[in-house]
Amino acid sequence: MAAVASFPQINDIDSMSFNNVDKLTYEIFSILENNFLFGCDDSNQKLHVVAQPSLAANAFKSGKHNSGKVRILSIDGGGSTDGILAAKSLTYLEDFLRRKSGKPDARIADYFDVVAGSGAGGILAALLFTKGKDGYPLFTADGALNFLIKNRREIFRSSDGGIFRRVFRPAKVEKLFRKTFGECTLKDTLKSVLIPCYDLSTRAPFLFSRADAHEMDGYDFKIRDICIATSAEPTVSGAVQMSSVDKRTKIAAVDGGIAMNNPTAAAITHVLNNKQEFPFCNSVEDLLVVSLGNGESDFSAVNLTSSPASFTRIAGEGASDVVDQAVSMAFGPHRTTNYIRIQGNGIVGGLEKGKRGQKMKRINILEKADEMLTQKNIEAVLFKGKKMIENTNLEKLEVFAGEVIKEEERRKSSILPTVLLKQTAFPSPRTSSASATTLSTISSC
């Protein structure tokens, strides 16, 4: 009888424990489902599980105590335009920022706190956010566009021109980037910089991060090496053997598009988890994000059986769309104000055949980029494809520039810092980088 009498008591305890766990699990997955699959339209829906230390500061986030929004610029890998569409978008964005701020010499780097770029986007990020000897960015947006137009064939057309060109191409590219960036390293960037590549030695993505460089010397790399790594041809023979400035970290790098063609999610993750540099940023409500695509390729015109690189491009562009859709849904009701994606909604090729059908010549890709920017913008819906909206890409860029300027003006009267970028190295383990999951030898908190 005693055994029978005690059984319901144990069962009650187990049931109570199960119900609590089940309730917590249901709440977690409900929030994730709403945020990432269908968008969260309930602004009051919050998950009360673990109190974050920084949340206590939310009581002060009003008026002069409002910590504001972290501004993120994300730039895709090559696409069909080898970075020209994104570069052209940046020239318009910089022009909008200059006109709205009344500062004719304003630069992109003045109005963004974080930049993430992959492949061609990584090169653009380096050009726009590396500090020159005068303390200003090395390039304006227009200068970066001209740099890509002038050198795109050297940087991205590694498979053209036969074996002679492939053999001498690495030396030419290294010389180009050495001349451009000199001895500058990640520590010489003006804002938080994130540039991915794929490390063949560990078979995992590797994220070059300014935060990592300031925390540990073993993760400070020369900018010229980073640009070569993120744009390297995705083959074993094309792997770039490189090391950090102090030679402690070594990787065999290939194209950043393999790791993350669209680095937006990595940038958001970096900011939300980096409480040392972004102490008051707790959710997507605290972000302003612009993601720049680089056009869609015409895969129907490609002989996939004889072009392995085409499969890499398909995977990269497909992954970019998935990231865009997931991020868009994660912003929920804020996706129309806090997040925009610029991408051509049609297929635009950058090359056309000459009269003899063998020699390729470049058409006016700038006109094609302008054409894509005047197209109506497309909005991603996870698992449901894309839909076209009334605003053009340029119109959305101009509106976003206005939001960025508002945030800049707000900071002038706020007593709470939005960003606290590291300026010196720390002896403690890394605690800020989104790349912590990449390197198993380093722990993060």
Side-chain angles (χ1 to χ4, degrees):
M1 294 293 292
V4 174
S6 64
F7 180 76
Q9 296 174 5
I10 296 174
N11 188 53
D12 288 343
I13 295 173
D14 289 343
S15 177
M16 183 181 301
S17 176
F18 174 79
N19 288 337
N20 287 338
V21 173
D22 184 62
K23 181 179 179 181
L24 176 60
T25 303
Y26 174 80
E27 186 175 2
I28 290 173
F29 279 93
S30 177
I31 295 293
L32 289 175
E33 179 183 57
N34 285 330
N35 281 351
F36 290 93
L37 296 183
F38 307 108
C40 181
D41 294 323
D42 184 2
S43 59
N44 296 318
Q45 188 179 40
K46 296 181 179 178
L47 183 63
H48 303 284
V49 181
V50 181
Q52 301 180 41
S54 59
L55 293 180
N58 284 344
F60 299 98
K61 293 174 68 174
S62 60
K64 291 186 177 181
H65 302 291
N66 186 353
S67 61
K69 296 180 174 64
V70 176
R71 301 163 299 187
I72 299 175
L73 170 63
S74 177
I75 314 172
D76 277 16
S80 65
T81 63
D82 290 336
I84 302 301
L85 175 59
K88 189 65 175 177
S89 300
L90 288 166
T91 64
Y92 281 111
L93 180 58
E94 190 170 81
D95 183 60
F96 290 144
L97 291 172
R98 287 174 173 178
R99 289 197 284 109
K100 291 179 180 294
S101 67
K103 299 178 180 178
D105 297 326
R107 307 286 185 90
I108 290 290
D110 297 336
Y111 293 94
F112 285 92
D113 308 304
V114 180
V115 61
S118 180
I123 295 172
L124 282 170
L127 294 172
L128 295 172
F129 285 80
T130 299
K131 181 170 58 178
K133 294 180 180 179
D134 58 359
Y136 293 96
L138 285 176
F139 285 78
T140 63
D142 193 57
L145 171 63
N146 291 331
F147 179 91
L148 278 191
I149 292 174
K150 180 180 178 181
N151 301 294
R152 64 188 283 263
R153 181 171 172 79
E154 285 297 333
I155 299 171
F156 303 113
R157 289 291 176 260
S158 59
S159 60
D160 293 348
I163 189 171
F164 181 84
R165 178 175 173 77
R166 290 196 295 271
V167 168
F168 288 97
R169 179 240 179 207
K172 290 184 178 180
V173 173
E174 196 278 338
K175 182 178 180 180
L176 170 66
F177 287 132
R178 180 184 291 273
K179 180 180 178 182
T180 304
F181 297 106
E183 299 299 312
C184 291
T185 73
L186 277 170
K187 291 183 179 180
D188 297 310
T189 52
L190 292 161
K191 302 292 180 68
S192 185
V193 173
L194 301 166
I195 300 176
C197 72
Y198 189 86
D199 183 9
L200 290 180
S201 62
T202 61
R203 295 179 175 84
F206 188 99
L207 194 61
F208 299 104
S209 166
R210 180 187 187 277
D212 289 350
H214 278 280
E215 288 188 9
M216 296 185 71
D217 288 336
Y219 294 97
D220 188 24
F221 291 81
K222 292 182 179 179
I223 298 296
R224 64 173 185 258
D225 291 338
I226 294 173
C227 289
I228 294 172
T230 197
S231 60
E233 184 181 2
T235 64
V236 175
S237 61
V240 176
Q241 303 295 330
M242 60 181 294
S243 60
S244 56
V245 175
D246 65 0
K247 309 299 180 183
R248 290 169 56 191
T249 305
K250 297 180 180 181
I251 61 175
V254 293
D255 191 357
I258 296 177
M260 52 187 79
N261 198 59
N262 179 346
T264 307
I268 291 174
T269 302
H270 174 81
V271 172
L272 292 179
N273 288 280
N274 185 349
K275 294 304 178 185
Q276 293 184 27
E277 295 188 323
F278 310 101
F280 301 106
C281 188
N282 298 310
S283 71
V284 294
E285 297 179 37
D286 302 319
L287 301 173
L288 280 175
V289 183
V290 56
S291 175
L292 304 180
N294 268 306
E296 299 173 334
S297 299
D298 184 5
F299 297 118
S300 63
V302 176
N303 182 1
L304 298 179
T305 60
S306 62
S307 179
S310 298
F311 287 103
T312 302
R313 178 164 286 186
I314 289 174
E317 292 185 20
S320 291
D321 286 341
V322 171
V323 170
D324 171 40
Q325 293 172 15
V327 169
S328 178
M329 292 301 99
F331 272 83
H334 303 282
R335 63 178 173 266
T336 58
T337 56
N338 292 31
Y339 172 75
I340 68 166
R341 169 76 170 170
I342 303 300
Q343 175 71 306
N345 59 33
I347 296 171
V348 180
L351 299 169
E352 64 177 3
K353 289 187 177 181
K355 293 181 179 180
R356 297 184 179 180
Q358 295 181 354
K359 187 176 180 179
M360 305 295 285
K361 65 178 182 180
R362 185 177 63 129
I363 62 175
N364 194 335
I365 199 169
L366 281 177
E367 291 183 2
K368 292 298 181 181
D370 279 324
E371 179 184 325
M372 283 189 277
L373 287 170
T374 56
Q375 293 173 349
K376 292 184 177 180
N377 193 248
I378 51 177
E379 187 173 282
V381 181
L382 195 60
F383 304 133
K384 295 182 180 179
K386 304 174 183 178
K387 65 178 181 180
M388 190 178 296
I389 60 177
E390 288 303 314
N391 291 18
T392 66
N393 284 310
L394 271 181
E395 289 170 342
K396 294 203 75 172
L397 269 179
E398 185 170 10
V399 171
F400 186 83
E403 294 300 316
V404 169
I405 295 296
K406 288 180 183 178
E407 169 59 21
E408 184 70 14
E409 293 300 315
R410 185 211 58 76
R411 292 184 185 185
K412 294 178 180 179
S413 59
S414 175
I415 62 174
L416 288 179
T418 304
V419 181
L420 295 170
L421 290 180
K422 293 182 179 66
Q423 300 298 333
T424 57
F426 293 90
S428 59
R430 299 183 309 150
T431 58
S432 62
S433 176
S435 62
T437 56
T438 300
L439 307 169
S440 59
T441 58
I442 302 296
S443 62
S444 64
C445 357

